[in-house]
Amino acid sequence: MTQAMTFAAIIVAAGAGTRIGSGPAKQWRMLAGKPVLQWSIEAFTAAGVAEGVVVIPADAGATAQPILAGRPGWRTVPGGATRALSVQAGLAALGVSADTPVLVHDAARPLLKPAHISDLLAALESADAALPALAVADTLRRVTDGATETVSRECLWRAQTPQAARRARLESAYARWSGPGEPTDDAAVVEADGGRIALTPGDAALMKLTYPEDFAMAELLAGKTMTMRIGQGFDAHRWGPGEAVWLCGVQIAHDQTLIGHSDADAGLHALTDALLGALGEGDIGDHFPPTDPQWKGAASDLFLKHAADMVTARGGRILNLDVTLICERPKIKPHRAAMRQRLADLLGLALDQVSVKATTTEGMGFTGRQEGLAAQAVALIEVPT
Ligand code: MG
């Protein structure tokens, strides 16, 4: 056993990651019970990092704050327009000495292990920069103008992060970078500056979360299991005089309105109860008592968001929602697409995770007599076991 070496870490979490789909950027999403970013912070902390900087989007301070709270030695800095500028912002914020190894890591690779870190630190004893790399296993094909050819995978490796170099070496290499283009890789910057690069063993677990389906794979690799929970909700409100009605977060012009203490959006109320039911957390009346004047006329978005935040706080996520509106009028179909989009936007879900349906009761019952409108909903969530 060699004595643990002092090192610093920069986690780059400033990207938008558009391939991951709609919703929050991937570094803030939950993975097996905690935010993606938190996994890397905990891995570096467990390995004895002396100082850590997380480079975040300039407007993400409030989002990052709860993840970094109570972690001495960690702080955030705003990122730049490119990964290279973000890394340099991180370097500038470090207080460690010029010869301290710095590990630059992508937040989107959450499953960092102690061995990855110790391998990199050991490699810096004889190299200017080091990175984990995996041999390419798949046969590769190059496609040019519709023509395709096999490319030999011999000698090809996939570069991963963290990438390590001593602070001053990395800073000067970035300062002297002259292209072409923007560097996407820290080792490449040191290499272009004449540095010697070492490869350490890569790991499938260092996979980069890029597409929505990568989260399911990472959950498996994280070794945590999730349990599915289902909940259902029902709500009804009475029709009264008015000119518009709120349904599933969308306002529809109509010759009546629904009467209620809040905005009487029965669709959102049923969905809120479905989520609370899946969590075993009572019903909407427990959380937002109708006797409380502060909810008078409230936009029901608030209720649904509260229930969704409770799922997130539990380390869980919504898998899908399905709501059925039951009324003779207004016609729901022309507004269904807008309702789905509104719900998806409100909850940071993909459109196919949200369903809005409608039916009449063919003139029967209180909905059929147009005394009121009813809504029922189911929600499927998963939470850490
Ligand atoms: Mg209600």
Side-chain angles (χ1 to χ4, degrees), residues 313-335:
R314 200 71 89 76
R317 67 187 182 114
I318 297 168
L319 295 176
N320 74 298
L321 299 172
D322 185 17
V323 58
T324 303
L325 300 174
I326 305 164
C327 60
E328 303 292 323
R329 293 188 319 119
K331 283 264 171 279
I332 301 300
K333 200 166 184 176
H335 307 286

PDB file of all heavy atoms in Angstrom, residues 313-335:
ATOM      1  N   ALA A 313     -38.017  13.406  -3.992  1.00  0.00           N
ATOM      2  CA  ALA A 313     -37.369  13.447  -2.681  1.00  0.00           C
ATOM      3  C   ALA A 313     -37.157  12.037  -2.126  1.00  0.00           C
ATOM      4  O   ALA A 313     -36.230  11.796  -1.359  1.00  0.00           O
ATOM      5  CB  ALA A 313     -38.202  14.267  -1.708  1.00  0.00           C
ATOM      6  N   ARG A 314     -38.000  11.119  -2.539  1.00  0.00           N
ATOM      7  CA  ARG A 314     -37.892   9.726  -2.117  1.00  0.00           C
ATOM      8  C   ARG A 314     -36.818   9.001  -2.938  1.00  0.00           C
ATOM      9  O   ARG A 314     -36.572   7.814  -2.740  1.00  0.00           O
ATOM     10  CB  ARG A 314     -39.269   9.090  -2.319  1.00  0.00           C
ATOM     11  CG  ARG A 314     -39.619   7.837  -1.592  1.00  0.00           C
ATOM     12  CD  ARG A 314     -39.836   7.961  -0.110  1.00  0.00           C
ATOM     13  NE  ARG A 314     -41.195   8.270   0.262  1.00  0.00           N
ATOM     14  CZ  ARG A 314     -42.212   7.390   0.249  1.00  0.00           C
ATOM     15  NH1 ARG A 314     -42.045   6.157  -0.169  1.00  0.00           N
ATOM     16  NH2 ARG A 314     -43.404   7.764   0.661  1.00  0.00           N
ATOM     17  N   GLY A 315     -36.221   9.700  -3.909  1.00  0.00           N
ATOM     18  CA  GLY A 315     -35.241   9.054  -4.783  1.00  0.00           C
ATOM     19  C   GLY A 315     -35.899   8.296  -5.916  1.00  0.00           C
ATOM     20  O   GLY A 315     -35.268   7.480  -6.571  1.00  0.00           O
ATOM     21  N   GLY A 316     -37.170   8.585  -6.145  1.00  0.00           N
ATOM     22  CA  GLY A 316     -37.903   7.854  -7.175  1.00  0.00           C
ATOM     23  C   GLY A 316     -38.131   8.678  -8.426  1.00  0.00           C
ATOM     24  O   GLY A 316     -37.636   9.797  -8.538  1.00  0.00           O
ATOM     25  N   ARG A 317     -38.876   8.114  -9.335  1.00  0.00           N
ATOM     26  CA  ARG A 317     -39.263   8.859 -10.535  1.00  0.00           C
ATOM     27  C   ARG A 317     -40.597   8.340 -11.037  1.00  0.00           C
ATOM     28  O   ARG A 317     -40.992   7.209 -10.729  1.00  0.00           O
ATOM     29  CB  ARG A 317     -38.200   8.768 -11.633  1.00  0.00           C
ATOM     30  CG  ARG A 317     -38.042   7.386 -12.204  1.00  0.00           C
ATOM     31  CD  ARG A 317     -36.864   7.332 -13.168  1.00  0.00           C
ATOM     32  NE  ARG A 317     -36.769   5.996 -13.741  1.00  0.00           N
ATOM     33  CZ  ARG A 317     -36.972   5.714 -15.034  1.00  0.00           C
ATOM     34  NH1 ARG A 317     -37.260   6.678 -15.886  1.00  0.00           N
ATOM     35  NH2 ARG A 317     -36.880   4.479 -15.472  1.00  0.00           N
ATOM     36  N   ILE A 318     -41.269   9.206 -11.794  1.00  0.00           N
ATOM     37  CA  ILE A 318     -42.545   8.829 -12.396  1.00  0.00           C
ATOM     38  C   ILE A 318     -42.250   8.029 -13.654  1.00  0.00           C
ATOM     39  O   ILE A 318     -41.445   8.452 -14.486  1.00  0.00           O
ATOM     40  CB  ILE A 318     -43.367  10.090 -12.741  1.00  0.00           C
ATOM     41  CG1 ILE A 318     -43.704  10.863 -11.461  1.00  0.00           C
ATOM     42  CG2 ILE A 318     -44.628   9.706 -13.503  1.00  0.00           C
ATOM     43  CD1 ILE A 318     -44.264  12.255 -11.730  1.00  0.00           C
ATOM     44  N   LEU A 319     -42.900   6.862 -13.790  1.00  0.00           N
ATOM     45  CA  LEU A 319     -42.728   6.073 -15.014  1.00  0.00           C
ATOM     46  C   LEU A 319     -43.784   6.466 -16.038  1.00  0.00           C
ATOM     47  O   LEU A 319     -43.460   6.689 -17.190  1.00  0.00           O
ATOM     48  CB  LEU A 319     -42.803   4.583 -14.698  1.00  0.00           C
ATOM     49  CG  LEU A 319     -41.674   4.057 -13.812  1.00  0.00           C
ATOM     50  CD1 LEU A 319     -41.888   2.597 -13.465  1.00  0.00           C
ATOM     51  CD2 LEU A 319     -40.321   4.230 -14.498  1.00  0.00           C
ATOM     52  N   ASN A 320     -45.063   6.515 -15.619  1.00  0.00           N
ATOM     53  CA  ASN A 320     -46.081   7.041 -16.529  1.00  0.00           C
ATOM     54  C   ASN A 320     -47.342   7.436 -15.771  1.00  0.00           C
ATOM     55  O   ASN A 320     -47.557   7.030 -14.631  1.00  0.00           O
ATOM     56  CB  ASN A 320     -46.414   6.066 -17.665  1.00  0.00           C
ATOM     57  CG  ASN A 320     -47.236   4.889 -17.204  1.00  0.00           C
ATOM     58  OD1 ASN A 320     -46.806   4.111 -16.377  1.00  0.00           O
ATOM     59  ND2 ASN A 320     -48.437   4.764 -17.735  1.00  0.00           N
ATOM     60  N   LEU A 321     -48.116   8.293 -16.432  1.00  0.00           N
ATOM     61  CA  LEU A 321     -49.368   8.817 -15.880  1.00  0.00           C
ATOM     62  C   LEU A 321     -50.441   8.644 -16.933  1.00  0.00           C
ATOM     63  O   LEU A 321     -50.176   8.803 -18.124  1.00  0.00           O
ATOM     64  CB  LEU A 321     -49.237  10.316 -15.584  1.00  0.00           C
ATOM     65  CG  LEU A 321     -48.197  10.768 -14.567  1.00  0.00           C
ATOM     66  CD1 LEU A 321     -48.103  12.286 -14.587  1.00  0.00           C
ATOM     67  CD2 LEU A 321     -48.545  10.270 -13.181  1.00  0.00           C
ATOM     68  N   ASP A 322     -51.654   8.355 -16.485  1.00  0.00           N
ATOM     69  CA  ASP A 322     -52.775   8.219 -17.421  1.00  0.00           C
ATOM     70  C   ASP A 322     -54.006   8.805 -16.750  1.00  0.00           C
ATOM     71  O   ASP A 322     -54.377   8.386 -15.655  1.00  0.00           O
ATOM     72  CB  ASP A 322     -52.975   6.727 -17.747  1.00  0.00           C
ATOM     73  CG  ASP A 322     -54.044   6.507 -18.810  1.00  0.00           C
ATOM     74  OD1 ASP A 322     -54.404   7.476 -19.515  1.00  0.00           O
ATOM     75  OD2 ASP A 322     -54.509   5.353 -18.947  1.00  0.00           O
ATOM     76  N   VAL A 323     -54.622   9.786 -17.388  1.00  0.00           N
ATOM     77  CA  VAL A 323     -55.800  10.431 -16.809  1.00  0.00           C
ATOM     78  C   VAL A 323     -56.962  10.356 -17.800  1.00  0.00           C
ATOM     79  O   VAL A 323     -56.761  10.459 -19.014  1.00  0.00           O
ATOM     80  CB  VAL A 323     -55.495  11.900 -16.395  1.00  0.00           C
ATOM     81  CG1 VAL A 323     -55.010  12.730 -17.568  1.00  0.00           C
ATOM     82  CG2 VAL A 323     -56.696  12.558 -15.732  1.00  0.00           C
ATOM     83  N   THR A 324     -58.150  10.101 -17.267  1.00  0.00           N
ATOM     84  CA  THR A 324     -59.365  10.089 -18.090  1.00  0.00           C
ATOM     85  C   THR A 324     -60.326  11.163 -17.571  1.00  0.00           C
ATOM     86  O   THR A 324     -60.642  11.188 -16.372  1.00  0.00           O
ATOM     87  CB  THR A 324     -60.062   8.710 -18.031  1.00  0.00           C
ATOM     88  OG1 THR A 324     -59.145   7.704 -18.461  1.00  0.00           O
ATOM     89  CG2 THR A 324     -61.291   8.686 -18.939  1.00  0.00           C
ATOM     90  N   LEU A 325     -60.745  12.044 -18.463  1.00  0.00           N
ATOM     91  CA  LEU A 325     -61.726  13.078 -18.122  1.00  0.00           C
ATOM     92  C   LEU A 325     -63.103  12.573 -18.554  1.00  0.00           C
ATOM     93  O   LEU A 325     -63.255  12.043 -19.663  1.00  0.00           O
ATOM     94  CB  LEU A 325     -61.398  14.394 -18.845  1.00  0.00           C
ATOM     95  CG  LEU A 325     -60.019  14.986 -18.516  1.00  0.00           C
ATOM     96  CD1 LEU A 325     -59.731  16.204 -19.406  1.00  0.00           C
ATOM     97  CD2 LEU A 325     -59.922  15.361 -17.045  1.00  0.00           C
ATOM     98  N   ILE A 326     -64.080  12.717 -17.677  1.00  0.00           N
ATOM     99  CA  ILE A 326     -65.411  12.165 -17.942  1.00  0.00           C
ATOM    100  C   ILE A 326     -66.416  13.312 -17.977  1.00  0.00           C
ATOM    101  O   ILE A 326     -66.693  13.949 -16.939  1.00  0.00           O
ATOM    102  CB  ILE A 326     -65.797  11.134 -16.855  1.00  0.00           C
ATOM    103  CG1 ILE A 326     -64.705  10.051 -16.756  1.00  0.00           C
ATOM    104  CG2 ILE A 326     -67.165  10.516 -17.162  1.00  0.00           C
ATOM    105  CD1 ILE A 326     -64.776   9.228 -15.481  1.00  0.00           C
ATOM    106  N   CYS A 327     -66.913  13.627 -19.163  1.00  0.00           N
ATOM    107  CA  CYS A 327     -67.866  14.738 -19.316  1.00  0.00           C
ATOM    108  C   CYS A 327     -68.545  14.637 -20.680  1.00  0.00           C
ATOM    109  O   CYS A 327     -68.047  13.965 -21.575  1.00  0.00           O
ATOM    110  CB  CYS A 327     -67.156  16.082 -19.181  1.00  0.00           C
ATOM    111  SG  CYS A 327     -65.858  16.357 -20.402  1.00  0.00           S
ATOM    112  N   GLU A 328     -69.706  15.285 -20.786  1.00  0.00           N
ATOM    113  CA  GLU A 328     -70.374  15.379 -22.091  1.00  0.00           C
ATOM    114  C   GLU A 328     -69.796  16.552 -22.892  1.00  0.00           C
ATOM    115  O   GLU A 328     -69.634  16.459 -24.102  1.00  0.00           O
ATOM    116  CB  GLU A 328     -71.887  15.582 -21.906  1.00  0.00           C
ATOM    117  CG  GLU A 328     -72.595  14.507 -21.087  1.00  0.00           C
ATOM    118  CD  GLU A 328     -72.645  13.141 -21.789  1.00  0.00           C
ATOM    119  OE1 GLU A 328     -72.816  13.116 -23.021  1.00  0.00           O
ATOM    120  OE2 GLU A 328     -72.503  12.122 -21.090  1.00  0.00           O
ATOM    121  N   ARG A 329     -69.522  17.634 -22.205  1.00  0.00           N
ATOM    122  CA  ARG A 329     -68.979  18.841 -22.811  1.00  0.00           C
ATOM    123  C   ARG A 329     -68.011  19.473 -21.821  1.00  0.00           C
ATOM    124  O   ARG A 329     -68.217  19.302 -20.596  1.00  0.00           O
ATOM    125  CB  ARG A 329     -70.111  19.847 -23.121  1.00  0.00           C
ATOM    126  CG  ARG A 329     -71.072  19.381 -24.190  1.00  0.00           C
ATOM    127  CD  ARG A 329     -72.049  20.503 -24.588  1.00  0.00           C
ATOM    128  NE  ARG A 329     -72.526  21.281 -23.449  1.00  0.00           N
ATOM    129  CZ  ARG A 329     -72.312  22.609 -23.314  1.00  0.00           C
ATOM    130  NH1 ARG A 329     -71.669  23.274 -24.234  1.00  0.00           N
ATOM    131  NH2 ARG A 329     -72.757  23.240 -22.261  1.00  0.00           N
ATOM    132  N   PRO A 330     -67.033  20.234 -22.201  1.00  0.00           N
ATOM    133  CA  PRO A 330     -66.651  20.539 -23.595  1.00  0.00           C
ATOM    134  C   PRO A 330     -66.005  19.323 -24.259  1.00  0.00           C
ATOM    135  O   PRO A 330     -65.623  18.384 -23.581  1.00  0.00           O
ATOM    136  CB  PRO A 330     -65.610  21.657 -23.420  1.00  0.00           C
ATOM    137  CG  PRO A 330     -64.992  21.379 -22.080  1.00  0.00           C
ATOM    138  CD  PRO A 330     -66.091  20.821 -21.228  1.00  0.00           C
ATOM    139  N   LYS A 331     -65.864  19.371 -25.557  1.00  0.00           N
ATOM    140  CA  LYS A 331     -65.138  18.337 -26.293  1.00  0.00           C
ATOM    141  C   LYS A 331     -63.671  18.417 -25.869  1.00  0.00           C
ATOM    142  O   LYS A 331     -63.049  19.477 -25.933  1.00  0.00           O
ATOM    143  CB  LYS A 331     -65.255  18.578 -27.808  1.00  0.00           C
ATOM    144  CG  LYS A 331     -66.601  18.159 -28.372  1.00  0.00           C
ATOM    145  CD  LYS A 331     -66.524  16.749 -28.967  1.00  0.00           C
ATOM    146  CE  LYS A 331     -67.882  16.187 -29.348  1.00  0.00           C
ATOM    147  NZ  LYS A 331     -68.639  15.623 -28.204  1.00  0.00           N
ATOM    148  N   ILE A 332     -63.126  17.293 -25.420  1.00  0.00           N
ATOM    149  CA  ILE A 332     -61.753  17.277 -24.910  1.00  0.00           C
ATOM    150  C   ILE A 332     -60.741  17.054 -26.029  1.00  0.00           C
ATOM    151  O   ILE A 332     -59.631  17.582 -26.016  1.00  0.00           O
ATOM    152  CB  ILE A 332     -61.600  16.178 -23.825  1.00  0.00           C
ATOM    153  CG1 ILE A 332     -62.581  16.434 -22.671  1.00  0.00           C
ATOM    154  CG2 ILE A 332     -60.168  16.119 -23.318  1.00  0.00           C
ATOM    155  CD1 ILE A 332     -62.406  17.762 -21.954  1.00  0.00           C
ATOM    156  N   LYS A 333     -61.142  16.269 -27.026  1.00  0.00           N
ATOM    157  CA  LYS A 333     -60.189  15.838 -28.051  1.00  0.00           C
ATOM    158  C   LYS A 333     -59.346  16.982 -28.643  1.00  0.00           C
ATOM    159  O   LYS A 333     -58.136  16.836 -28.781  1.00  0.00           O
ATOM    160  CB  LYS A 333     -60.904  15.061 -29.152  1.00  0.00           C
ATOM    161  CG  LYS A 333     -59.965  14.196 -29.965  1.00  0.00           C
ATOM    162  CD  LYS A 333     -60.721  13.196 -30.813  1.00  0.00           C
ATOM    163  CE  LYS A 333     -59.720  12.301 -31.534  1.00  0.00           C
ATOM    164  NZ  LYS A 333     -60.386  11.247 -32.298  1.00  0.00           N
ATOM    165  N   PRO A 334     -59.960  18.121 -28.992  1.00  0.00           N
ATOM    166  CA  PRO A 334     -59.134  19.197 -29.594  1.00  0.00           C
ATOM    167  C   PRO A 334     -58.052  19.720 -28.646  1.00  0.00           C
ATOM    168  O   PRO A 334     -57.143  20.412 -29.094  1.00  0.00           O
ATOM    169  CB  PRO A 334     -60.165  20.302 -29.895  1.00  0.00           C
ATOM    170  CG  PRO A 334     -61.496  19.634 -29.881  1.00  0.00           C
ATOM    171  CD  PRO A 334     -61.383  18.487 -28.926  1.00  0.00           C
ATOM    172  N   HIS A 335     -58.158  19.427 -27.351  1.00  0.00           N
ATOM    173  CA  HIS A 335     -57.222  19.973 -26.359  1.00  0.00           C
ATOM    174  C   HIS A 335     -56.283  18.924 -25.775  1.00  0.00           C
ATOM    175  O   HIS A 335     -55.443  19.244 -24.942  1.00  0.00           O
ATOM    176  CB  HIS A 335     -58.018  20.627 -25.225  1.00  0.00           C
ATOM    177  CG  HIS A 335     -59.026  21.630 -25.703  1.00  0.00           C
ATOM    178  ND1 HIS A 335     -58.667  22.883 -26.164  1.00  0.00           N
ATOM    179  CD2 HIS A 335     -60.376  21.534 -25.843  1.00  0.00           C
ATOM    180  CE1 HIS A 335     -59.754  23.527 -26.546  1.00  0.00           C
ATOM    181  NE2 HIS A 335     -60.802  22.739 -26.367  1.00  0.00           N
TER     182      HIS A 335
END
